[in-house]
Amino acid sequence: MALETRKSPDLDRQLAGLDALELASGARRSPLARAWSALWPMLAAVAIALGVWELVVLSGWKEPWVLPGPRDVLPEFWNVVSEGGFWAAVGLTMRRALVGFAVAIVIGVVIGSLVSQSRILRRAFGSLITGLQTMPSIAWFPLAILLFKLSESAIMFVVVLGAAPSIANGLIAGVDYTPPILLRVGKVMGLRGLALYRHLIIPAALPSFVAGLKQGWAFAWRSLMAGELLVIINNTQSVGTLLHYSRELSDTPRMISVMIVILIIGILIDQLFGLADRTLRNRWGLDTETD
């Protein structure tokens, strides 16, 4: 006991020194340095991708008019994003994406909440939800066009069906992995019914729910792009129609430029979901990164 008493102050000083060292190393990093540490890997990945692309073109694998290189595509990309009609097309595509995703969230949350709380509904519809999630979105378009013709409703129908099952499954998984001890504590504190769900189960399920939202957005975005390629509505111009017409005209540099735009939008949305995820982990004290 005497030996432990003599060692305890030394151990406390060592732990305090390590804590101070960790805090000091974090405090030394300026916001600019932190931003650069997050940015340079993406810039390096872009440079590598452009280099590999140029090497493939120089290898002569395909004719330049079939697969143009970055030197031909990047000027055309600048021309595309400089057009006024291009931003109107992006606006229409994003409006469709956000509206469809919002409807999918409402439907997915309602279905996920009901199924997660009822064993009968889970046995009846649990496998069906997973089956819908794995079903290729493009397989819905023949039915959508038959039901709604070539219209906005046909596109929205497939976008919602593509995203809602992933959102529902994310919520169901989050509820399933809520620690039972939290439920017991909540009931001891008087939480019942809707209050238990609102104040305990939903916050505990947030990590899985956010993951489900992210996956749901990915399905919604892919469904939307497929829809805009297949469902061409008169007097409307979207990102998908720009891609469709550039393909029809065999304008490969413009087609690849539009594909790059689709990729950039996807990356930006992913960054927003990443920010939401990091905020959630910080709030829960789970972010242990030391930049």
Side-chain angles (χ1 to χ4, degrees):
M1 291 296 294
L3 182 59
E4 291 181 2
T5 304
R6 286 195 300 271
K7 286 186 177 181
S8 180
D10 294 336
L11 181 60
D12 290 341
R13 284 194 297 271
Q14 292 172 4
L15 292 175
L18 289 174
D19 291 340
L21 181 61
E22 182 177 357
L23 291 173
S25 63
R28 283 196 299 268
R29 297 185 64 83
S30 66
L32 184 61
R34 293 173 64 89
W36 172 247
S37 67
L39 186 61
W40 78 261
M42 291 186 287
L43 295 176
V46 170
I48 292 172
L50 291 175
V52 171
W53 180 9
E54 183 66 23
L55 289 175
V56 171
V57 172
L58 292 176
S59 70
W61 176 57
K62 294 291 183 181
E63 296 294 330
W65 63 271
V66 175
L67 181 62
R71 288 174 293 180
D72 297 320
V73 172
L74 295 181
E76 180 62 23
F77 171 79
W78 178 253
N79 292 333
V80 169
V81 299
S82 300
E83 297 172 357
F86 165 78
W87 293 107
V90 171
L92 175 58
T93 294
M94 293 308 299
R95 180 180 64 79
R96 288 171 172 172
L98 294 176
V99 171
F101 187 55
V103 174
I105 289 176
V106 173
I107 295 175
V109 167
V110 171
I111 293 175
S113 301
L114 294 175
V115 171
S116 64
Q117 294 301 302
S118 171
R119 292 184 179 178
I120 296 176
L121 291 178
R122 184 183 294 253
R123 290 170 183 169
F125 298 105
S127 298
L128 176 61
I129 294 172
T130 302
L132 290 174
Q133 180 180 351
T134 59
M135 188 170 179
S137 299
I138 199 169
W140 289 106
F141 275 103
L143 176 62
I145 294 172
L146 185 64
L147 293 174
F148 302 104
K149 311 300 181 185
L150 297 177
S151 65
E152 294 282 343
S153 298
I155 298 175
M156 289 296 103
F157 177 76
V158 178
V159 169
V160 171
L161 281 176
S166 295
I167 297 171
N169 269 338
L171 181 57
I172 293 169
V175 172
D176 287 347
Y177 283 95
T178 301
I181 190 171
L182 287 181
L183 298 176
R184 290 197 293 269
V185 170
K187 291 177 180 179
V188 167
M189 296 178 66
L191 295 178
R192 295 289 187 279
L194 184 61
L196 178 66
Y197 209 86
R198 176 185 174 187
H199 296 290
L200 193 149
I201 296 177
I202 290 295
L206 272 179
S208 293
F209 182 54
V210 170
L213 288 176
K214 185 175 180 179
Q215 189 178 51
W217 168 261
F219 280 111
W221 185 241
R222 281 183 279 182
S223 301
L224 178 59
M225 289 299 102
E228 290 186 344
L229 282 170
L230 294 174
V231 181
I232 306 298
I233 303 173
N234 291 332
N235 301 320
T236 61
Q237 189 176 46
S238 63
V239 173
T241 57
L242 292 177
L243 189 62
H244 170 78
Y245 289 126
S246 60
R247 180 195 62 187
E248 291 292 314
L249 297 172
S250 297
D251 190 350
T252 310
R254 186 176 182 86
M255 183 181 70
I256 296 178
S257 298
V258 177
M259 292 172 62
I260 293 173
V261 170
I262 296 171
L263 176 63
I264 291 174
I265 293 175
I267 291 173
L268 292 177
I269 299 298
D270 179 74
Q271 291 298 310
L272 292 178
F273 277 109
L275 177 62
D277 182 64
R278 287 191 298 272
T279 301
L280 183 62
R281 286 189 284 114
N282 283 332
R283 185 174 180 181
W284 283 45
L286 299 176
D287 193 354
T288 58
E289 286 188 13
T290 56
D291 296 331

